[in-house]
Amino acid sequence: MNSCSKIRKKTGFKIKNKSMQKKNYNYYKTLVFSLFSLLMITGSAKAQIPEGFPKIPSYDVIKTLTPILERASVVIIQKEKNKPPFITGILLINEKIDNVVKVIRDFEKYHEFVPNISKIRILERKEDGTEIVEYNLAFDVALGLKFKITYTLEQKYDEKNYLIWGLPAKGREQAFSDVRFIEKYYSTEDGRTVMIYSAYADLASFGFLSKLVYKAFPELQIPTLVSVSTLFPEAVKERIEGKKIIVESKNVDYEKIKIPQRLPIESLLPILKTYRTIIVSWHPDENNVRFFSSYSLLRKDIKYVKSQITNFESWKKVFRIIEDAKPTQIENGYKVKFKIKYKILLPIELEYTQIYTWIGDSRLECEIDRKEKRDIEGGFCGWDFYETKFGTVIGYTEFSDLRTGSYFLKLLMDKVAGFGIGLRVGMVSAQAEYLRWL
């Protein structure tokens, strides 16, 4: 029985002539081919990700972030059941996806553009495409203090789905008890690339000093990883676009500084409904100043959230680096004298006064009072409040000229690439973590 007879038998239609037979044959041929192609496309879009990695944000969610990604990087904190906390950096690169992946896959050139990487070696390439890759990091901190880190990963590249992931390579040198990453690349409608980089490392397992710090302050692990997941994608963007992003302002004109505008809730809510907290690392403005923000979705009434944020005396109970906070009510706001104390290798103490001013009823802006005695020359911040049917979204944005606050901090920022950015990202990340007390 020929194909046309089969069609006639199954459908009940009589095919009157050969011309009609041919048309029907071509129609069914095209239909079958189209269905087969669709199945192939759908199948290839579902990548087989190994266990132990977080769910990758969908492109539909990523698209809502476009207004932010045009001028900033976004970091999300992914905490899933029975998995370690992964920190995921997302940014937009003005280049085609294949050209981006080409740079990413050239591991042995990372030392030319990724902060603190001294050398990468591909130790082995297996027949199934697996690569054994050794990472060497070097830090020249300060005062003659230097240290190195070496760890080795077993990595795979899923070319069809633009996925790369790495797990600890068995029997190889490891600085951490666990370190892993996964990268995903999306091609945008206009031919650009969204890079998603998600990583986890057990920092408390590395070295005597790290064990002391992270076991005493376990909440600092996430802010530290946030800084890593910010810096690596930004280093890739720098390499491809040829424009500096990882910059540290050395001569800040405080009169020209402007706090980033309040973001539209439409760009924030879709991703906050899933991940509850995001970090925004703003690209440098015309003065090379970088602001950093955190946004959190809280299941609390907006009036309650505002009342707690402006209860400055209670901050020292929550933010462990605040030793004291003394507020004074002023017209349309507050004047607060802070005493800060924390330790990064050496103890650091800072005192300054901030003036908080309400801009309408949805933003509270602050600025260091430069007429008062201060250990930091300048600093700016903004608290944004959004009322939604899912709860209150609270945003915190800041820039502090930390180089002026401590000679030791200035030394670290000059000696360790990306340290200042990492510290500031870590600070707003810690702010978001602490907001859980509300």
Side-chain angles (χ1 to χ4, degrees), residues 239-270:
R239 177 74 162 188
I240 292 171
E241 297 185 7
K243 183 180 178 181
K244 291 295 290 181
I245 303 174
I246 304 173
V247 296
E248 186 63 50
S249 301
K250 296 186 177 181
N251 297 297
V252 180
D253 186 345
Y254 304 116
E255 299 298 323
K256 293 182 179 179
I257 290 182
K258 293 181 180 179
I259 302 172
Q261 293 182 350
R262 177 181 167 91
L263 288 173
I265 191 63
E266 296 79 16
S267 297
L268 296 167
L269 201 53

Side-chain angles (χ1 to χ4, degrees), residues 360-374:
D361 62 354
S362 58
R363 170 170 271 202
L364 182 65
E365 290 190 353
C366 79
E367 181 177 350
I368 284 181
D369 188 349
R370 301 186 69 233
K371 296 177 182 178
E372 297 274 348
K373 180 183 175 183
R374 62 202 178 278

Side-chain angles (χ1 to χ4, degrees), residues 351-365:
E351 290 189 26
Y352 55 88
T353 300
Q354 297 234 85
I355 296 175
Y356 291 81
T357 306
W358 281 105
I359 310 298
D361 62 354
S362 58
R363 170 170 271 202
L364 182 65
E365 290 190 353

Side-chain angles (χ1 to χ4, degrees), residues 16 43 60 86 155 195 207 212 240 267 295 299 304 320 401 407:
K16 296 182 179 179
D60 287 339
F86 276 81
Q155 299 182 182
M195 175 182 179
L212 286 179
I240 292 171
S267 297
Y295 294 87
R299 292 189 176 93
Y304 171 79
R320 296 175 65 178
D401 195 0
Y407 173 75

Side-chain angles (χ1 to χ4, degrees), residues 48 69 79 162 207 223:
Q48 296 299 314
L69 294 176
K79 295 181 178 179
Y162 293 103

Side-chain angles (χ1 to χ4, degrees), residues 151-388:
Y151 59 92
T152 310
L153 300 181
E154 181 178 304
Q155 299 182 182
K156 274 201 170 186
Y157 173 43
D158 179 349
E159 189 173 358
K160 288 183 179 179
N161 295 288
Y162 293 103
L163 268 173
I164 305 171
W165 65 85
L167 293 162
K170 295 178 181 179
R172 304 282 184 167
E173 184 174 357
Q174 304 290 0
F176 308 97
S177 64
D178 189 6
V179 57
R180 59 186 71 186
F181 78 90
I182 187 165
E183 298 167 20
K184 169 67 179 174
Y185 298 87
Y186 290 116
S187 183
T188 65
E189 287 83 355
D190 58 1
R192 294 184 290 174
T193 304
V194 173
M195 175 182 179
I196 300 176
Y197 172 77
S198 189
Y200 167 75
D202 183 7
L203 299 177
S205 67
F206 167 66
F208 177 71
L209 182 61
S210 291
K211 286 178 181 177
L212 286 179
V213 172
Y214 293 114
K215 286 186 177 178
F217 300 96
E219 67 272 19
L220 292 180
Q221 280 214 53
I222 285 179
T224 304
L225 288 170
V226 166
S227 66
V228 173
S229 292
T230 301
L231 287 171
F232 175 61
E234 289 189 349
V236 173
K237 184 178 175 73
E238 276 191 349
R239 177 74 162 188
I240 292 171
E241 297 185 7
K243 183 180 178 181
K244 291 295 290 181
I245 303 174
I246 304 173
V247 296
E248 186 63 50
S249 301
K250 296 186 177 181
N251 297 297
V252 180
D253 186 345
Y254 304 116
E255 299 298 323
K256 293 182 179 179
I257 290 182
K258 293 181 180 179
I259 302 172
Q261 293 182 350
R262 177 181 167 91
L263 288 173
I265 191 63
E266 296 79 16
S267 297
L268 296 167
L269 201 53
I271 199 162
L272 284 175
K273 284 193 293 184
T274 302
Y275 300 106
R276 316 302 293 181
T277 296
I278 68 168
I279 311 299
V280 177
S281 175
W282 298 92
H283 296 160
D285 63 14
E286 59 272 16
N287 302 304
N288 265 355
V289 169
R290 296 196 64 174
F291 277 85
F292 301 90
S293 306
S294 65
Y295 294 87
S296 298
L297 176 58
L298 307 174
R299 292 189 176 93
K300 299 287 184 180
D301 175 78
I302 193 168
K303 290 182 180 179
Y304 171 79
V305 173
K306 286 181 180 178
S307 69
Q308 293 302 302
I309 291 299
T310 54
N311 184 10
F312 298 100
E313 289 179 316
S314 69
W315 282 22
K316 60 186 176 183
K317 298 176 183 178
V318 181
F319 304 111
R320 296 175 65 178
I321 66 172
I322 296 178
E323 192 168 84
D324 198 15
K326 295 180 179 178
T328 304
Q329 189 94 27
I330 60 174
E331 185 180 356
N332 200 35
Y334 316 88
K335 188 174 183 177
V336 187
K337 186 173 183 179
F338 288 103
K339 186 174 182 180
I340 307 296
K341 191 174 183 179
Y342 59 99
K343 190 173 183 179
I344 304 175
L345 299 179
L346 296 174
I348 296 171
E349 296 185 14
L350 304 170
E351 290 189 26
Y352 55 88
T353 300
Q354 297 234 85
I355 296 175
Y356 291 81
T357 306
W358 281 105
I359 310 298
D361 62 354
S362 58
R363 170 170 271 202
L364 182 65
E365 290 190 353
C366 79
E367 181 177 350
I368 284 181
D369 188 349
R370 301 186 69 233
K371 296 177 182 178
E372 297 274 348
K373 180 183 175 183
R374 62 202 178 278
D375 290 322
I376 299 177
E377 283 300 311
F380 302 82
C381 78
W383 291 91
D384 287 309
F385 304 89
Y386 306 80
E387 188 172 17
T388 79

